[in-house]
Amino acid sequence: MAEPLKNIYTEDFLRLFGERVQTAYSSFDTQGFIHQVMDESWNELELKARMRRISLTLGTFLPSRYEEALAVLFAIDEHCSGFPYLFFPDFVEVYGQGEEHWTLSMEALERFTRKSSAEFAVRPFLLREPERMMRQMTVWAGHPSEHVRRLASEGCRPRLPWGQALPIFKRNPAPVLAVLELLKADPSLYVRKSVANNLNDIAKDHPEAVIATAQRWKGTHPDTDWIVRHGCRTLIRKSSPEVMAMFGYAEETNGSPLVTEASFTADPAVLKLGDSCELSYGLQLREGDPVRVRIEYGIDFVKARGQVSRKLFLLSDKNVPGGTRLTGTRTHRFADLTTRRHYPGAHRIILLVNGQEAASTVVELQF
């Protein structure tokens, strides 16, 4: 089993960090810092709580004036890069939100994001002063550093994983879309991935806005086309008609269905928790021009109170000649996960082609 990320903050890590701080601030009490960070509650803290503990404790052991404390971090940040040092921008989030610190805090976030990432730390600033902060994001969108340009997008994602939600942009994504316009053909894949993820976030609340943006962007640049495709992935999974048409997924034509014959089986059909079954499918496509097909299976998982919740799993997504026969298998294991608990009962499994049901089968999960 992989080591939990929170365990990157070992005593040795903190000691090395403290020694680096001492090179710029000789009165820094490394041992006292470690003792206060790793108190009796340390083992119960998860990753983000450990980052915050380090930030808060730095506020005790660095100079009391924010400007002087940042000067110490500025002096050593060249030697403090990577994921573990997310507490640098977090320090800005904790201590730098005062009006008198705005300019310095923006400088610090811009600087620190190039060593780790300030995508979480910018969000309280956005929540407090969204218009002012989005003007800063617009400036960052034109920065020479790909890390800063990525911050312009990643920092304002409405549904950033691990980050505070931004309800204002869930309600109205227009300011975010204005920033993404500036990044839609960015030369950095690192930035383009963020733009696509931001579009995908927006699609969950405002699909029509993303569809309109995608239709306007598509075909303007190959890098932009990549963003459009990945930014519409949730809409593709939901088989949005406009999006399916935009990406060339075949549909019924002149009354002729795309799939003329389909089979779908599960073996075995009776399982216990932890067992696996082999899903097998066969599809015959209509004759004619080449077509794009997206093949998925969906399981209607039985929930605690007997209702069902469907989860989709991708099997294939490709262009094929008309008249092609497609076959395939996939092993699916019915085992509890941190994100899904199983319950006994009949689980319907559906074979979907371009969002349309082609065949189905049922497995019985017994406890």
Side-chain angles (χ1 to χ4, degrees), residues 271-326:
L271 307 99
K272 295 188 180 300
L273 184 65
D275 287 351
S276 298
C277 68
E278 184 173 84
L279 303 174
S280 302
Y281 69 89
L283 297 168
Q284 180 63 51
L285 304 183
R286 67 169 179 245
E287 299 289 339
D289 296 332
V291 293
R292 183 158 190 104
V293 291
R294 179 180 177 88
I295 305 172
E296 303 165 285
Y297 67 96
I299 301 181
D300 289 339
F301 287 104
V302 176
K303 308 303 287 184
R305 297 183 179 179
Q307 73 273 36
V308 296
S309 176
R310 180 171 295 182
K311 169 70 175 175
L312 299 181
F313 303 87
L314 181 64
L315 291 166
S316 180
D317 190 332
K318 59 186 178 181
N319 292 307
V320 297
T324 297
R325 179 164 184 81
L326 299 169

Side-chain angles (χ1 to χ4, degrees), residues 141-142 149 152-153 179-186 191-192 195 227:
R149 296 197 307 276
S153 168
V179 170
L180 300 187
E181 282 284 345
L182 303 174
L183 300 167
K184 67 178 184 290
D186 197 276
V191 177
R192 295 197 301 273
V195 175
I227 290 173

Side-chain angles (χ1 to χ4, degrees), residues 172-212:
N172 176 22
V176 179
L177 289 168
V179 170
L180 300 187
E181 282 284 345
L182 303 174
L183 300 167
K184 67 178 184 290
D186 197 276
S188 167
L189 179 60
Y190 187 47
V191 177
R192 295 197 301 273
K193 284 182 178 180
S194 176
V195 175
N197 288 335
N198 203 327
L199 278 180
N200 192 56
D201 278 4
I202 295 170
K204 295 171 184 176
D205 298 299
H206 298 276
E208 71 291 341
V210 172
I211 291 170

